[in-house]
Amino acid sequence: EVSSEDPEMAFCTLANREDLNPEEGSIYQCLYQFTRNEKLTETNKLLCDVCTQRRYGPKKNIKSEKYVYTNAKKQMLISLAPPILTLHLKRFQQAGFNLRKVNRHIKFPEVIDLAPFCTAKCKNVAEGNTQVLYSLYGVVEHSGTMRSGHYTAYAKMRSMNNHLSDLVLRGQSPQALETEPAKGQWFHISDTHVQAVSAAKVLSSQAYLLFYERLL
């Protein structure tokens, strides 16, 4: 579905992206790169129905070779902030004819703000809010190589977030909720072995999947 938006608002976000200055090797940098503004030119030009109709009239009278393509801008932004945010990091890379694992550590915070990556008209963010905060509650880590390895998890035991049910079941937007993560204990789970660990241990892990729950 294609909808016309106000050109002045099409690339606006809830929080100023220019103020973000993401740290190298961080999840913020990953999100910044994924949602960057791209120019579509040359062989990537966009087929423009409006331009085609202006030049040739209604579509029914146009031959396929007469479609008009034009330079354009493209940007992927979040239009609906989810109750649960799952971030999947690409840990496997093509190297020639082989696949290899990416072992680089990506920094990620306990509380993340998605506002710089949300449209200014994000559907379930209360008017006037310039933050969309999420609290980390789970991490999946892969150890080993492409040929053999093992998945383990970190999970946070914490008090229940009563607002999540409102978000999931009724779609109600948070108005003024907590801006700090719920206090709790982190655990490392490997098959049947479970061990209490510190938050610092979790944040130093080689994350493959990150799970956040919405705070604000």
Side-chain angles (χ1 to χ4, degrees):
E1 180 182 352
V2 178
S3 60
S4 297
E5 298 285 347
D6 180 355
E8 296 298 323
M9 296 293 293
F11 298 97
C12 292
T13 51
L14 282 174
N16 191 349
R17 289 169 62 86
E18 302 306 317
D19 295 337
L20 188 58
N21 192 25
E23 183 180 358
E24 179 75 20
S26 68
I27 198 70
Y28 274 114
Q29 186 189 41
C30 295
L31 289 167
Y32 188 88
Q33 290 295 325
F34 185 77
T35 59
R36 72 187 187 280
N37 193 315
E38 301 177 60
K39 293 182 180 179
L40 304 179
T41 60
E42 299 179 357
T43 57
N44 291 321
K45 283 184 178 180
L46 187 70
L47 171 61
C48 179
D49 292 334
V50 175
C51 300
T52 300
Q53 290 184 26
R54 283 175 180 171
R55 183 175 298 183
Y56 298 109
K59 275 186 176 181
K60 60 184 179 181
N61 299 325
I62 304 171
K63 293 183 178 179
S64 60
E65 65 268 18
K66 289 187 176 180
Y67 285 125
V68 175
Y69 293 81
T70 184
N71 293 333
K73 290 192 296 184
K74 168 190 168 185
Q75 188 173 26
M76 302 280 286
L77 293 172
I78 298 168
S79 63
L80 186 69
I84 299 297
L85 173 68
T86 304
L87 299 177
H88 182 185
L89 300 179
K90 184 179 178 182
R91 286 289 182 190
F92 308 103
Q93 185 177 46
Q94 186 80 32
F97 294 102
N98 300 314
L99 284 174
R100 69 178 183 88
K101 185 184 173 188
V102 178
N103 288 309
R104 181 181 182 185
H105 175 68
I106 300 297
K107 298 177 183 177
F108 54 94
E110 281 197 85
V111 174
I112 191 171
D113 185 4
L114 279 193
F117 317 109
C118 293
T119 70
K121 296 181 180 179
C122 198
K123 297 182 178 110
N124 59 347
V125 176
E127 187 175 354
N129 276 7
T130 56
Q131 288 184 308
V132 184
L133 300 181
Y134 287 81
S135 175
L136 183 71
Y137 73 90
V139 180
V140 172
E141 182 179 43
H142 178 268
S143 58
T145 65
M146 290 292 297
R147 294 182 179 276
S148 64
H150 182 56
Y151 289 96
T152 58
Y154 294 91
K156 186 178 186 181
M157 188 173 71
R158 66 219 180 277
S159 58
M160 183 181 294
N161 185 338
N162 294 319
H163 301 287
L164 278 180
S165 60
D166 292 333
L167 283 167
V168 174
L169 300 177
R170 289 177 282 278
Q172 294 178 356
S173 301
Q175 298 298 322
L177 305 183
E178 299 84 359
T179 58
E180 296 292 333
K183 294 181 179 180
Q185 176 63 57
W186 280 99
F187 291 91
H188 182 231
I189 303 111
S190 177
D191 294 333
T192 59
H193 181 70
V194 180
Q195 180 183 14
V197 294
S198 65
K201 172 69 174 176
V202 177
L203 297 178
S204 66
S205 65
Q206 296 281 66
Y208 180 52
L209 288 168
L210 295 168
F211 298 92
Y212 287 87
E213 60 186 354
R214 190 164 171 189
L215 291 175
L216 177 65

